[in-house]
Amino acid sequence: MEWSFDTRCIHGEAHAYQDGARSVSFPIYQTATFGHSLIGHEQFNYSRQDNPTRLQLEEVVASLEEAKEAIAFSSGMAAVSALVELLRPGDHILCGEDLYGGVTRLFDQVCAKNGIEVSYVDTTSLSQVEASIRPNTRLMHVETPSNPMMKVTDIQACARIAHAHGALLSVDNTFLTPVFQRPLTLGADIVVHSGSKYLSGHNDTISGFLVLNELEIADRLRLIAKTIGAALAPFDCWLVLRGLKTLHVRVRHQERTAKKIVETLEKHPLVREVYYIGRPGHPGYEVNQSQATGSGAMISFRTVDQETAHRALKKVRLITFAESLGGTESLLTYPLTQTHCEVPGPLREKLGIDETLLRLSVGLEDAEDLVKDLTQALEK
Ligand SMILES: Cc1ncc(COP(=O)(O)O)c(C=O)c1O
């Protein structure tokens, strides 16, 4: 039977593993190891390698992304670190220039040391993508929309370019989630998630995923995950599983609230520019409409000056001034000193990540309350 997306958020395809109790909430197998009855008959071995709660979570996430495989990691960064372990010294990564600062740090400070070349490209320009491909490009990595400038990249077009040159395309789908966008159906090879965000959804756990169809690559990634010990612990697997049960309801509601907040911000005299991919004036609006069914609940905006941005961060009462995104609580982030502090200065300036830029993750609070809080926080 083919269940709808909303049903699969709650049930997945089927239970990966079930014991006699038939508990409705999938059990937390809080164990380091598993006993065996006979040599060669072991279903599970050791929780760094495999665990029923993790397996259940991986099946649900794979199902939501319309994938054959999902691998759960201890964080989004652990997932991206495993992804780049597919590469060898001398290989080249072509990646979107606007992306989460931790990924930039990984590429610049770890991959470079390991002999992997990286170039940062404006992937909203397909001619720039084409021109930046090298004979040794093995991986193209994009966030769409990107963090924090909300740039939209054409996934199908990038997949065509990557594949024509023998490279894999990985797409970070953290911001839109499979509720709104399924990159594998658009030709991407691997989907990356920071599960710490919308998938778990309650600002209470850190997790990450790689999701894909190619079984041979999935086997290599599982080998890397078990070898480097980056798997997600059973309790955190359960938290993400529980969060996923309401994913579809949460993100659609958050999107509706985000649209109301965008209307307020656009009219506010102390706000200079609003970056939200659901507004027809956004440069990526059409491409996003063509490849996603929604625009999500992430908004970046620029205040008229630094003083206003600092004041807003200090004065928010309901909204929390904090890193992260995608949870039930609304968070206001200052990318310059938080999420993107380690992006090299010239790139940060080029992208416009400056002292006036704020990023808002719209939570599940009442829309009017959020508008009230933001408005009072911006005022002198
Ligand atoms: C788009 C995106 N990808 C990946 C990551 C890294 O995920 P984690 O914090 O779970 O390691 C983040 C973290 O903020 C992110 O925003």
Side-chain angles (χ1 to χ4, degrees), residues 198 254 257-258 261 297-299 327 330-331 360-365 370:
Y198 290 100
Q254 283 164 297
T257 307
I261 292 174
M298 292 301 299
I299 307 164
S330 294
L331 304 179
L360 177 67
S361 167
V362 177
L364 276 177
E365 300 92 342
L370 289 173

Side-chain angles (χ1 to χ4, degrees), residues 35-342:
H36 305 144
S37 51
L38 282 172
I39 293 172
H41 281 231
E42 55 274 359
Q43 191 175 357
F44 294 97
N45 282 294
Y46 184 60
S47 282
R48 169 159 49 76
Q49 177 181 336
D50 46 20
N51 177 286
T53 317
R54 192 182 310 127
L55 189 61
Q56 174 67 11
L57 170 63
E58 291 175 342
E59 288 212 356
V60 176
V61 172
S63 165
L64 298 182
E65 285 286 2
E66 298 187 38
K68 293 198 177 114
E69 293 271 346
I71 305 168
F73 290 87
S74 54
S75 67
M77 286 312 301
V80 183
S81 301
L83 172 65
V84 296
E85 283 295 331
L86 292 174
L87 307 183
R88 297 178 176 283
D91 287 349
H92 171 243
I93 303 172
L94 188 163
C95 72
E97 60 184 0
D98 184 39
L99 76 169
Y100 169 57
V103 176
T104 316
R105 184 173 60 226
L106 173 75
F107 286 173
D108 290 349
Q109 296 186 32
V110 180
C111 293
K113 160 180 88 57
N114 294 340
I116 293 166
E117 299 167 20
V118 182
S119 31
Y120 298 100
V121 177
D122 178 0
T123 52
T124 64
S125 158
L126 296 175
S127 57
Q128 282 193 42
V129 172
E130 189 82 60
S132 308
I133 285 265
R134 299 185 194 164
N136 57 341
T137 305
R138 293 286 164 269
L139 180 69
M140 194 186 287
H141 178 73
V142 297
E143 289 177 6
T144 181
S146 61
N147 182 2
M149 298 310 298
M150 310 301 294
K151 296 187 177 200
V152 178
T153 292
D154 184 330
I155 297 173
Q156 269 177 321
C158 281
R160 269 198 302 276
I161 299 171
H163 296 160
H165 294 85
L168 296 171
L169 172 66
S170 53
V171 174
D172 189 319
N173 203 26
T174 299
F175 273 28
L176 284 189
T177 83
V179 173
F180 296 130
Q181 177 170 270
R182 299 184 203 143
L184 298 180
T185 66
L186 298 163
D189 300 288
I190 300 171
V191 167
V192 175
H193 273 285
S194 166
S196 325
K197 311 299 188 313
Y198 290 100
L199 298 190
S200 56
H202 292 73
N203 289 322
D204 57 10
T205 181
I206 300 290
S207 62
F209 295 89
L210 293 178
V211 194
L212 66 165
N213 280 319
E214 188 55 59
L215 299 183
E216 189 263 329
I217 300 174
D219 284 348
R220 282 163 65 201
L221 289 168
R222 282 195 190 281
L223 179 88
I224 292 164
K226 94 169 172 190
T227 306
I228 64 176
L232 190 60
F235 181 61
D236 298 276
C237 290
W238 184 84
L239 281 173
V240 185
L241 265 175
R242 188 177 63 164
L244 283 170
K245 291 182 192 218
T246 54
L247 174 73
H248 52 306
V249 182
R250 282 187 283 110
V251 299
R252 289 182 193 131
H253 190 89
Q254 283 164 297
E255 183 188 59
R256 280 195 293 279
T257 307
K259 288 182 174 165
K260 291 184 189 155
I261 292 174
V262 166
E263 279 172 24
T264 304
L265 287 174
E266 280 181 338
K267 282 188 245 141
H268 201 287
L270 296 175
V271 172
R272 197 149 49 88
E273 217 165 341
V274 181
Y275 306 91
Y276 180 64
I277 59 170
R279 296 297 272 182
H282 187 284
Y285 176 78
E286 268 88 24
V287 175
N288 189 64
Q289 292 282 306
S290 73
Q291 64 187 14
T293 55
S295 315
M298 292 301 299
I299 307 164
S300 290
F301 60 101
R302 205 178 283 296
T303 54
V304 287
D305 52 24
Q306 171 179 304
E307 195 194 334
T308 309
H310 285 198
R311 186 170 55 244
L313 291 165
K314 195 166 160 209
K315 282 184 69 191
V316 277
R317 295 215 302 260
L318 182 60
I319 300 166
T320 307
F321 167 26
E323 296 203 22
S324 203
L325 61 108
T328 39
E329 296 81 8
S330 294
L331 304 179
L332 189 63
T333 303
Y334 197 42
L336 181 68
T337 62
Q338 293 187 304
T339 48
H340 291 73
C341 63
E342 284 179 69

